[in-house]
Amino acid sequence: MLDIAEQLELLRQRIAARNESDLPVNYLQHVAITQTGDVFNLDFYGECFDESYEDLLSTLATPEVAPCIRSLILRGPDEGANGTQNWDITPLLATDAMFSQLETFSIQLNQPAAHNRPIIGSDADEDEGGILAQLLAKSPRIQELTVPSAPNAAFFEVGQRPIRFLSVDAGYDTQDFVHNLAKSSCFPNLQCLEWGEYHETYLDNYSINCTPTKHYQEMFHSNAFDSVQRFVWRNPVCTDSDIQALQALRPNLQLLVVYYSDHYA
């Protein structure tokens, strides 16, 4: 039977072999694999609806490989359907395998110049559907998590996890992420929180789907926020006075507010 390093090397070769000779450089799919001791770090670049992505997830989900993955990064070119880039991670979690050594999991976030918004969901469903709670349940050592869709309430019911860095974009639904985080006690080691507000600015009255100011007030007052040293806040719809009032509640918090536009002429 092939050992883990050999299985991952064959995966790398299969993915590389699927590239056509005339593909532009930014469309060349690949996976970089770095072994550190007995664990492996993977950085995948490719289209999330392609055979190579399916191959990657099915390989990593096997009971012998999953416990040996320390980090997994998923990213790709600006491709999608109807303005959406669906990263369906369901096959990764479809077996009984545990990611017992997984410390870092990252899916690329939305970029200001992108034409396709990354989200977590199947091609037929734009709802996160609790899949991130399943990932958390299988990853007891996870410390860094970056995802382009807000998890639902089940994410906060898995139990304590040693997450230090949490970066979340709302995607197409905030799912009351800030409110649920404020009520939680599952991330006592959280030091850096990044939150990208719902930002479908092309929709009329899009701000009604954004996080209410009162939810931010709950979070800033909560015990769940006590360990946070840095808060990166992307595209808030709160007023400047609201932001200043929140900062006053946590004067020692490093607060970075970032605005960008997805408008195309």
Side-chain angles (χ1 to χ4, degrees):
M1 182 176 179
L2 296 175
D3 65 23
I4 306 303
E6 291 171 328
Q7 291 184 54
L8 293 177
E9 172 57 20
L10 288 175
L11 170 68
R12 186 196 66 78
Q13 292 177 17
R14 291 195 302 270
I15 291 175
R18 295 188 182 107
N19 287 310
E20 298 178 1
S21 59
D22 58 348
L23 276 177
V25 172
N26 63 316
Y27 281 85
L28 292 174
Q29 56 190 354
H30 57 271
V31 58
I33 303 169
T34 304
Q35 183 174 1
T36 53
D38 296 327
V39 294
F40 298 83
N41 307 279
L42 281 74
D43 183 346
F44 171 80
Y45 182 90
E47 296 180 348
C48 57
F49 42 81
D50 197 18
E51 180 183 1
S52 290
Y53 179 62
E54 296 175 0
D55 192 2
L56 173 80
L57 297 192
S58 62
T59 300
L60 300 188
T62 58
E64 63 271 17
V65 175
C68 299
I69 304 304
R70 183 182 182 187
S71 67
L72 176 60
I73 298 172
L74 304 174
R75 55 197 182 90
D78 183 16
E79 290 293 322
N82 299 319
T84 300
Q85 186 182 75
N86 301 75
W87 291 89
D88 183 5
I89 62 171
T90 305
L92 185 69
L93 308 172
T95 72
D96 293 334
M98 292 288 291
F99 292 90
S100 54
Q101 301 294 324
L102 187 67
E103 296 180 3
T104 298
F105 182 86
S106 175
I107 299 179
Q108 66 182 19
L109 301 178
N110 189 57
Q111 300 299 314
H115 293 79
N116 297 276
R117 179 179 294 282
I119 65 164
I120 293 177
S122 67
D123 290 340
D125 190 355
E126 295 178 351
D127 187 357
E128 177 268 342
I131 194 68
L132 290 173
Q134 296 179 42
L135 173 67
L136 212 59
K138 287 176 171 286
S139 310
R141 296 184 60 178
I142 194 161
Q143 298 183 32
E144 300 182 5
L145 181 63
T146 301
V147 289
S149 289
N152 67 14
F155 182 79
F156 300 95
E157 299 169 357
V158 173
Q160 286 196 354
R161 289 294 184 270
I163 289 181
R164 297 180 294 104
F165 174 85
L166 179 60
S167 183
V168 178
D169 273 351
Y172 290 141
D173 189 344
T174 68
Q175 302 209 92
D176 288 331
F177 172 81
V178 172
H179 175 65
N180 290 329
L181 177 62
K183 297 188 301 178
S184 73
S185 59
C186 49
F187 305 132
N189 300 328
L190 184 61
Q191 297 177 11
C192 180
L193 173 65
E194 298 186 352
W195 167 243
E197 186 56 80
Y198 179 84
H199 197 57
E200 303 307 298
T201 55
Y202 56 89
L203 297 174
D204 293 336
N205 301 317
Y206 85 96
S207 61
I208 65 174
N209 294 312
C210 295
T211 305
T213 301
K214 67 178 181 179
H215 287 182
Y216 288 110
Q217 293 170 341
E218 291 172 359
M219 185 174 72
F220 271 69
H221 278 291
S222 72
N223 293 334
F225 211 54
D226 286 345
S227 62
V228 177
Q229 301 172 15
R230 175 181 169 89
F231 178 37
V232 180
W233 195 355
R234 296 186 284 266
N235 301 310
V237 295
C238 296
T239 65
D240 289 344
S241 59
D242 287 334
I243 295 173
Q244 291 170 6
L246 290 169
Q247 176 73 85
L249 295 174
R250 301 273 182 174
N252 295 323
L253 176 71
Q254 184 180 11
L255 175 59
L256 176 62
V257 179
V258 180
Y259 296 97
Y260 59 77
S261 175
D262 290 336
H263 176 72
Y264 291 91

